[in-house]
Amino acid sequence: MTMKLHHAHASPFARKVVACAIARGIDDRIELVPVNPHVSPEALLRHNPLSKVPCLVLEDGTAVYDSPVICEYLDSVGEANGLFPSSGTPRWVRISVMHALADGIMDAAVARRMRAGKPVDETRAAFLDRQKAAVARGLARLESDPPKGLADIGAIAVACALGYLDFRFADEPWRGAHPALAAWFTEVSKLPPMARTVPVG
Ligand code: BEZ
């Protein structure tokens, strides 16, 4: 079975999907289709009217989005252990909230990045400050209870969020104030799901 993943190389959400596929050993069943979601290309709109990546297109043409839905779908492909715990358990709550927190950090960081270099009026400045503060609070929360290993969706999402901060906000170092998170990230960055998906350029 070959699926097509519409993705943008720089998107941390797309990276999360590819990292999940690598973690589960099914990345060879996914063909990457690079698109620029910001210009609403017809090739993407045909599958996702929101013009957002990642968007997974199954062999029968069914489109699956957004990234949490795709990652959960991928858990049903192949034989490897799933990355999503059983619903309703204490572990499910911890991992799911960690996933949501990491996605929120990505949302806020991407929002800042998309407005970089644009004129900043008072309203926009307040918006950007709120995004920056959300990332700072998110990192503080993760530092108080960092992920363990890289065998669940929460940990993979946090690693992709931190990788995006390094990629797009390298001039805003976060490691010094978050030593536990930094130590964990150093270790998991060596593993194939992260090492094989580092954004460049
Ligand atoms: C970026 O260039 O940082 C980016 C591109 C697409 C989606 C998200 C982020």
Side-chain angles (χ1 to χ4, degrees), residues 95-124:
I95 301 299
S96 301
V97 172
M98 190 177 282
H99 184 189
L101 180 56
D103 277 8
I105 291 172
M106 293 183 208
D107 274 330
V110 169
R112 283 187 69 202
R113 165 71 187 176
M114 292 306 136
R115 285 156 186 83
K118 305 256 165 54
V120 181
D121 61 13
E122 210 175 302
T123 310
R124 187 162 283 172

PDB file of all heavy atoms in Angstrom, residues 95-124:
ATOM      1  N   ILE A  95      -0.239  11.491  27.754  1.00  0.00           N
ATOM      2  CA  ILE A  95       0.353  11.550  26.413  1.00  0.00           C
ATOM      3  C   ILE A  95      -0.467  12.473  25.499  1.00  0.00           C
ATOM      4  O   ILE A  95       0.087  13.244  24.707  1.00  0.00           O
ATOM      5  CB  ILE A  95       0.413  10.124  25.795  1.00  0.00           C
ATOM      6  CG1 ILE A  95       1.232   9.167  26.671  1.00  0.00           C
ATOM      7  CG2 ILE A  95       0.946  10.162  24.363  1.00  0.00           C
ATOM      8  CD1 ILE A  95       2.645   9.515  26.883  1.00  0.00           C
ATOM      9  N   SER A  96      -1.792  12.408  25.614  1.00  0.00           N
ATOM     10  CA  SER A  96      -2.645  13.233  24.748  1.00  0.00           C
ATOM     11  C   SER A  96      -2.491  14.707  25.073  1.00  0.00           C
ATOM     12  O   SER A  96      -2.447  15.558  24.168  1.00  0.00           O
ATOM     13  CB  SER A  96      -4.118  12.827  24.900  1.00  0.00           C
ATOM     14  OG  SER A  96      -4.276  11.473  24.566  1.00  0.00           O
ATOM     15  N   VAL A  97      -2.410  15.032  26.362  1.00  0.00           N
ATOM     16  CA  VAL A  97      -2.246  16.447  26.733  1.00  0.00           C
ATOM     17  C   VAL A  97      -0.858  16.929  26.308  1.00  0.00           C
ATOM     18  O   VAL A  97      -0.699  18.066  25.829  1.00  0.00           O
ATOM     19  CB  VAL A  97      -2.501  16.650  28.242  1.00  0.00           C
ATOM     20  CG1 VAL A  97      -2.132  18.066  28.673  1.00  0.00           C
ATOM     21  CG2 VAL A  97      -3.965  16.354  28.570  1.00  0.00           C
ATOM     22  N   MET A  98       0.137  16.064  26.437  1.00  0.00           N
ATOM     23  CA  MET A  98       1.486  16.436  25.981  1.00  0.00           C
ATOM     24  C   MET A  98       1.478  16.696  24.470  1.00  0.00           C
ATOM     25  O   MET A  98       2.093  17.663  23.986  1.00  0.00           O
ATOM     26  CB  MET A  98       2.471  15.318  26.334  1.00  0.00           C
ATOM     27  CG  MET A  98       3.915  15.688  26.128  1.00  0.00           C
ATOM     28  SD  MET A  98       5.020  14.367  26.633  1.00  0.00           S
ATOM     29  CE  MET A  98       4.995  14.551  28.406  1.00  0.00           C
ATOM     30  N   HIS A  99       0.774  15.849  23.730  1.00  0.00           N
ATOM     31  CA  HIS A  99       0.639  16.031  22.279  1.00  0.00           C
ATOM     32  C   HIS A  99      -0.014  17.386  21.988  1.00  0.00           C
ATOM     33  O   HIS A  99       0.463  18.171  21.146  1.00  0.00           O
ATOM     34  CB  HIS A  99      -0.206  14.872  21.735  1.00  0.00           C
ATOM     35  CG  HIS A  99      -0.365  14.841  20.253  1.00  0.00           C
ATOM     36  ND1 HIS A  99      -1.229  13.980  19.626  1.00  0.00           N
ATOM     37  CD2 HIS A  99       0.200  15.576  19.242  1.00  0.00           C
ATOM     38  CE1 HIS A  99      -1.165  14.162  18.317  1.00  0.00           C
ATOM     39  NE2 HIS A  99      -0.318  15.134  18.056  1.00  0.00           N
ATOM     40  N   ALA A 100      -1.113  17.685  22.691  1.00  0.00           N
ATOM     41  CA  ALA A 100      -1.820  18.955  22.474  1.00  0.00           C
ATOM     42  C   ALA A 100      -0.933  20.151  22.835  1.00  0.00           C
ATOM     43  O   ALA A 100      -0.927  21.167  22.129  1.00  0.00           O
ATOM     44  CB  ALA A 100      -3.103  18.983  23.304  1.00  0.00           C
ATOM     45  N   LEU A 101      -0.174  20.009  23.916  1.00  0.00           N
ATOM     46  CA  LEU A 101       0.711  21.105  24.335  1.00  0.00           C
ATOM     47  C   LEU A 101       1.794  21.344  23.275  1.00  0.00           C
ATOM     48  O   LEU A 101       2.073  22.491  22.895  1.00  0.00           O
ATOM     49  CB  LEU A 101       1.336  20.761  25.695  1.00  0.00           C
ATOM     50  CG  LEU A 101       2.295  21.775  26.314  1.00  0.00           C
ATOM     51  CD1 LEU A 101       1.642  23.148  26.474  1.00  0.00           C
ATOM     52  CD2 LEU A 101       2.780  21.265  27.679  1.00  0.00           C
ATOM     53  N   ALA A 102       2.380  20.262  22.783  1.00  0.00           N
ATOM     54  CA  ALA A 102       3.417  20.394  21.756  1.00  0.00           C
ATOM     55  C   ALA A 102       2.838  21.005  20.477  1.00  0.00           C
ATOM     56  O   ALA A 102       3.450  21.892  19.862  1.00  0.00           O
ATOM     57  CB  ALA A 102       4.037  19.029  21.459  1.00  0.00           C
ATOM     58  N   ASP A 103       1.648  20.558  20.074  1.00  0.00           N
ATOM     59  CA  ASP A 103       1.021  21.129  18.872  1.00  0.00           C
ATOM     60  C   ASP A 103       0.731  22.618  19.083  1.00  0.00           C
ATOM     61  O   ASP A 103       0.846  23.429  18.156  1.00  0.00           O
ATOM     62  CB  ASP A 103      -0.281  20.384  18.534  1.00  0.00           C
ATOM     63  CG  ASP A 103      -0.032  19.101  17.742  1.00  0.00           C
ATOM     64  OD1 ASP A 103       1.138  18.711  17.585  1.00  0.00           O
ATOM     65  OD2 ASP A 103      -1.020  18.493  17.278  1.00  0.00           O
ATOM     66  N   GLY A 104       0.338  22.981  20.312  1.00  0.00           N
ATOM     67  CA  GLY A 104       0.080  24.395  20.616  1.00  0.00           C
ATOM     68  C   GLY A 104       1.352  25.227  20.520  1.00  0.00           C
ATOM     69  O   GLY A 104       1.330  26.366  20.038  1.00  0.00           O
ATOM     70  N   ILE A 105       2.461  24.658  20.980  1.00  0.00           N
ATOM     71  CA  ILE A 105       3.752  25.364  20.853  1.00  0.00           C
ATOM     72  C   ILE A 105       4.084  25.546  19.371  1.00  0.00           C
ATOM     73  O   ILE A 105       4.499  26.628  18.936  1.00  0.00           O
ATOM     74  CB  ILE A 105       4.864  24.584  21.600  1.00  0.00           C
ATOM     75  CG1 ILE A 105       4.624  24.661  23.111  1.00  0.00           C
ATOM     76  CG2 ILE A 105       6.246  25.122  21.231  1.00  0.00           C
ATOM     77  CD1 ILE A 105       5.547  23.775  23.943  1.00  0.00           C
ATOM     78  N   MET A 106       3.866  24.495  18.588  1.00  0.00           N
ATOM     79  CA  MET A 106       4.121  24.610  17.134  1.00  0.00           C
ATOM     80  C   MET A 106       3.216  25.670  16.518  1.00  0.00           C
ATOM     81  O   MET A 106       3.673  26.492  15.718  1.00  0.00           O
ATOM     82  CB  MET A 106       3.843  23.279  16.445  1.00  0.00           C
ATOM     83  CG  MET A 106       4.786  22.159  16.795  1.00  0.00           C
ATOM     84  SD  MET A 106       4.293  20.714  15.791  1.00  0.00           S
ATOM     85  CE  MET A 106       4.804  19.380  16.815  1.00  0.00           C
ATOM     86  N   ASP A 107       1.936  25.657  16.866  1.00  0.00           N
ATOM     87  CA  ASP A 107       0.992  26.648  16.315  1.00  0.00           C
ATOM     88  C   ASP A 107       1.476  28.065  16.597  1.00  0.00           C
ATOM     89  O   ASP A 107       1.491  28.917  15.705  1.00  0.00           O
ATOM     90  CB  ASP A 107      -0.401  26.482  16.960  1.00  0.00           C
ATOM     91  CG  ASP A 107      -1.256  25.449  16.244  1.00  0.00           C
ATOM     92  OD1 ASP A 107      -1.086  25.279  15.022  1.00  0.00           O
ATOM     93  OD2 ASP A 107      -2.099  24.829  16.913  1.00  0.00           O
ATOM     94  N   ALA A 108       1.857  28.297  17.853  1.00  0.00           N
ATOM     95  CA  ALA A 108       2.274  29.647  18.251  1.00  0.00           C
ATOM     96  C   ALA A 108       3.575  30.040  17.548  1.00  0.00           C
ATOM     97  O   ALA A 108       3.730  31.172  17.065  1.00  0.00           O
ATOM     98  CB  ALA A 108       2.442  29.706  19.773  1.00  0.00           C
ATOM     99  N   ALA A 109       4.514  29.095  17.472  1.00  0.00           N
ATOM    100  CA  ALA A 109       5.804  29.393  16.832  1.00  0.00           C
ATOM    101  C   ALA A 109       5.625  29.621  15.331  1.00  0.00           C
ATOM    102  O   ALA A 109       6.227  30.536  14.755  1.00  0.00           O
ATOM    103  CB  ALA A 109       6.795  28.259  17.110  1.00  0.00           C
ATOM    104  N   VAL A 110       4.790  28.788  14.691  1.00  0.00           N
ATOM    105  CA  VAL A 110       4.556  28.972  13.249  1.00  0.00           C
ATOM    106  C   VAL A 110       3.856  30.305  13.003  1.00  0.00           C
ATOM    107  O   VAL A 110       4.197  31.036  12.053  1.00  0.00           O
ATOM    108  CB  VAL A 110       3.740  27.793  12.663  1.00  0.00           C
ATOM    109  CG1 VAL A 110       3.267  28.101  11.245  1.00  0.00           C
ATOM    110  CG2 VAL A 110       4.571  26.504  12.668  1.00  0.00           C
ATOM    111  N   ALA A 111       2.919  30.674  13.871  1.00  0.00           N
ATOM    112  CA  ALA A 111       2.224  31.970  13.707  1.00  0.00           C
ATOM    113  C   ALA A 111       3.227  33.117  13.769  1.00  0.00           C
ATOM    114  O   ALA A 111       3.152  34.071  12.984  1.00  0.00           O
ATOM    115  CB  ALA A 111       1.152  32.125  14.789  1.00  0.00           C
ATOM    116  N   ARG A 112       4.173  33.033  14.687  1.00  0.00           N
ATOM    117  CA  ARG A 112       5.210  34.077  14.774  1.00  0.00           C
ATOM    118  C   ARG A 112       6.055  34.094  13.506  1.00  0.00           C
ATOM    119  O   ARG A 112       6.339  35.141  12.945  1.00  0.00           O
ATOM    120  CB  ARG A 112       6.133  33.824  15.969  1.00  0.00           C
ATOM    121  CG  ARG A 112       5.552  34.191  17.308  1.00  0.00           C
ATOM    122  CD  ARG A 112       6.622  34.055  18.392  1.00  0.00           C
ATOM    123  NE  ARG A 112       7.666  35.061  18.265  1.00  0.00           N
ATOM    124  CZ  ARG A 112       8.895  34.931  18.774  1.00  0.00           C
ATOM    125  NH1 ARG A 112       9.235  33.824  19.406  1.00  0.00           N
ATOM    126  NH2 ARG A 112       9.790  35.884  18.617  1.00  0.00           N
ATOM    127  N   ARG A 113       6.452  32.920  13.084  1.00  0.00           N
ATOM    128  CA  ARG A 113       7.316  32.811  11.907  1.00  0.00           C
ATOM    129  C   ARG A 113       6.630  33.390  10.667  1.00  0.00           C
ATOM    130  O   ARG A 113       7.243  34.084   9.862  1.00  0.00           O
ATOM    131  CB  ARG A 113       7.667  31.341  11.694  1.00  0.00           C
ATOM    132  CG  ARG A 113       8.258  31.015  10.346  1.00  0.00           C
ATOM    133  CD  ARG A 113       9.651  31.540  10.194  1.00  0.00           C
ATOM    134  NE  ARG A 113      10.121  31.346   8.834  1.00  0.00           N
ATOM    135  CZ  ARG A 113      11.298  31.775   8.379  1.00  0.00           C
ATOM    136  NH1 ARG A 113      12.118  32.420   9.160  1.00  0.00           N
ATOM    137  NH2 ARG A 113      11.641  31.560   7.133  1.00  0.00           N
ATOM    138  N   MET A 114       5.337  33.117  10.511  1.00  0.00           N
ATOM    139  CA  MET A 114       4.612  33.562   9.317  1.00  0.00           C
ATOM    140  C   MET A 114       4.496  35.084   9.268  1.00  0.00           C
ATOM    141  O   MET A 114       4.288  35.660   8.209  1.00  0.00           O
ATOM    142  CB  MET A 114       3.211  32.928   9.263  1.00  0.00           C
ATOM    143  CG  MET A 114       3.242  31.435   9.021  1.00  0.00           C
ATOM    144  SD  MET A 114       4.187  31.037   7.539  1.00  0.00           S
ATOM    145  CE  MET A 114       5.168  29.645   8.053  1.00  0.00           C
ATOM    146  N   ARG A 115       4.619  35.721  10.427  1.00  0.00           N
ATOM    147  CA  ARG A 115       4.497  37.186  10.457  1.00  0.00           C
ATOM    148  C   ARG A 115       5.859  37.874  10.539  1.00  0.00           C
ATOM    149  O   ARG A 115       5.920  39.094  10.599  1.00  0.00           O
ATOM    150  CB  ARG A 115       3.612  37.608  11.627  1.00  0.00           C
ATOM    151  CG  ARG A 115       2.140  37.324  11.315  1.00  0.00           C
ATOM    152  CD  ARG A 115       1.303  37.163  12.567  1.00  0.00           C
ATOM    153  NE  ARG A 115      -0.060  36.763  12.220  1.00  0.00           N
ATOM    154  CZ  ARG A 115      -0.438  35.504  11.963  1.00  0.00           C
ATOM    155  NH1 ARG A 115       0.452  34.525  11.990  1.00  0.00           N
ATOM    156  NH2 ARG A 115      -1.686  35.225  11.655  1.00  0.00           N
ATOM    157  N   ALA A 116       6.927  37.092  10.524  1.00  0.00           N
ATOM    158  CA  ALA A 116       8.277  37.666  10.616  1.00  0.00           C
ATOM    159  C   ALA A 116       8.538  38.572   9.421  1.00  0.00           C
ATOM    160  O   ALA A 116       8.176  38.243   8.291  1.00  0.00           O
ATOM    161  CB  ALA A 116       9.310  36.549  10.674  1.00  0.00           C
ATOM    162  N   GLY A 117       9.124  39.708   9.683  1.00  0.00           N
ATOM    163  CA  GLY A 117       9.494  40.618   8.602  1.00  0.00           C
ATOM    164  C   GLY A 117       8.350  41.479   8.107  1.00  0.00           C
ATOM    165  O   GLY A 117       8.530  42.307   7.213  1.00  0.00           O
ATOM    166  N   LYS A 118       7.128  41.295   8.666  1.00  0.00           N
ATOM    167  CA  LYS A 118       5.975  42.105   8.246  1.00  0.00           C
ATOM    168  C   LYS A 118       5.895  43.342   9.145  1.00  0.00           C
ATOM    169  O   LYS A 118       6.359  43.323  10.276  1.00  0.00           O
ATOM    170  CB  LYS A 118       4.686  41.285   8.386  1.00  0.00           C
ATOM    171  CG  LYS A 118       4.703  39.959   7.651  1.00  0.00           C
ATOM    172  CD  LYS A 118       3.886  40.057   6.381  1.00  0.00           C
ATOM    173  CE  LYS A 118       4.144  38.903   5.426  1.00  0.00           C
ATOM    174  NZ  LYS A 118       3.975  37.578   5.974  1.00  0.00           N
ATOM    175  N   PRO A 119       5.275  44.406   8.668  1.00  0.00           N
ATOM    176  CA  PRO A 119       5.129  45.591   9.522  1.00  0.00           C
ATOM    177  C   PRO A 119       4.362  45.231  10.801  1.00  0.00           C
ATOM    178  O   PRO A 119       3.435  44.433  10.751  1.00  0.00           O
ATOM    179  CB  PRO A 119       4.301  46.546   8.659  1.00  0.00           C
ATOM    180  CG  PRO A 119       4.316  45.997   7.285  1.00  0.00           C
ATOM    181  CD  PRO A 119       4.667  44.549   7.352  1.00  0.00           C
ATOM    182  N   VAL A 120       4.785  45.812  11.923  1.00  0.00           N
ATOM    183  CA  VAL A 120       4.172  45.455  13.213  1.00  0.00           C
ATOM    184  C   VAL A 120       3.426  46.653  13.792  1.00  0.00           C
ATOM    185  O   VAL A 120       4.048  47.604  14.264  1.00  0.00           O
ATOM    186  CB  VAL A 120       5.248  44.981  14.216  1.00  0.00           C
ATOM    187  CG1 VAL A 120       4.597  44.601  15.542  1.00  0.00           C
ATOM    188  CG2 VAL A 120       6.015  43.790  13.661  1.00  0.00           C
ATOM    189  N   ASP A 121       2.090  46.622  13.725  1.00  0.00           N
ATOM    190  CA  ASP A 121       1.312  47.663  14.405  1.00  0.00           C
ATOM    191  C   ASP A 121       0.997  47.165  15.820  1.00  0.00           C
ATOM    192  O   ASP A 121       1.412  46.077  16.218  1.00  0.00           O
ATOM    193  CB  ASP A 121       0.040  48.005  13.619  1.00  0.00           C
ATOM    194  CG  ASP A 121      -0.878  46.798  13.467  1.00  0.00           C
ATOM    195  OD1 ASP A 121      -0.655  45.790  14.173  1.00  0.00           O
ATOM    196  OD2 ASP A 121      -1.805  46.862  12.653  1.00  0.00           O
ATOM    197  N   GLU A 122       0.233  47.959  16.583  1.00  0.00           N
ATOM    198  CA  GLU A 122       0.006  47.621  17.997  1.00  0.00           C
ATOM    199  C   GLU A 122      -0.734  46.288  18.156  1.00  0.00           C
ATOM    200  O   GLU A 122      -0.393  45.461  19.007  1.00  0.00           O
ATOM    201  CB  GLU A 122      -0.824  48.745  18.623  1.00  0.00           C
ATOM    202  CG  GLU A 122      -0.549  48.947  20.094  1.00  0.00           C
ATOM    203  CD  GLU A 122      -1.308  50.150  20.617  1.00  0.00           C
ATOM    204  OE1 GLU A 122      -1.118  51.265  20.084  1.00  0.00           O
ATOM    205  OE2 GLU A 122      -2.122  49.952  21.523  1.00  0.00           O
ATOM    206  N   THR A 123      -1.723  46.070  17.302  1.00  0.00           N
ATOM    207  CA  THR A 123      -2.515  44.838  17.395  1.00  0.00           C
ATOM    208  C   THR A 123      -1.634  43.628  17.097  1.00  0.00           C
ATOM    209  O   THR A 123      -1.666  42.618  17.798  1.00  0.00           O
ATOM    210  CB  THR A 123      -3.671  44.871  16.363  1.00  0.00           C
ATOM    211  OG1 THR A 123      -4.341  46.102  16.507  1.00  0.00           O
ATOM    212  CG2 THR A 123      -4.617  43.722  16.551  1.00  0.00           C
ATOM    213  N   ARG A 124      -0.835  43.754  16.048  1.00  0.00           N
ATOM    214  CA  ARG A 124       0.030  42.636  15.657  1.00  0.00           C
ATOM    215  C   ARG A 124       1.101  42.378  16.716  1.00  0.00           C
ATOM    216  O   ARG A 124       1.420  41.237  17.024  1.00  0.00           O
ATOM    217  CB  ARG A 124       0.675  42.941  14.311  1.00  0.00           C
ATOM    218  CG  ARG A 124       1.452  41.785  13.761  1.00  0.00           C
ATOM    219  CD  ARG A 124       1.700  41.924  12.304  1.00  0.00           C
ATOM    220  NE  ARG A 124       0.530  41.613  11.515  1.00  0.00           N
ATOM    221  CZ  ARG A 124       0.430  41.794  10.207  1.00  0.00           C
ATOM    222  NH1 ARG A 124       1.440  42.314   9.545  1.00  0.00           N
ATOM    223  NH2 ARG A 124      -0.653  41.459   9.564  1.00  0.00           N
TER     224      ARG A 124
END
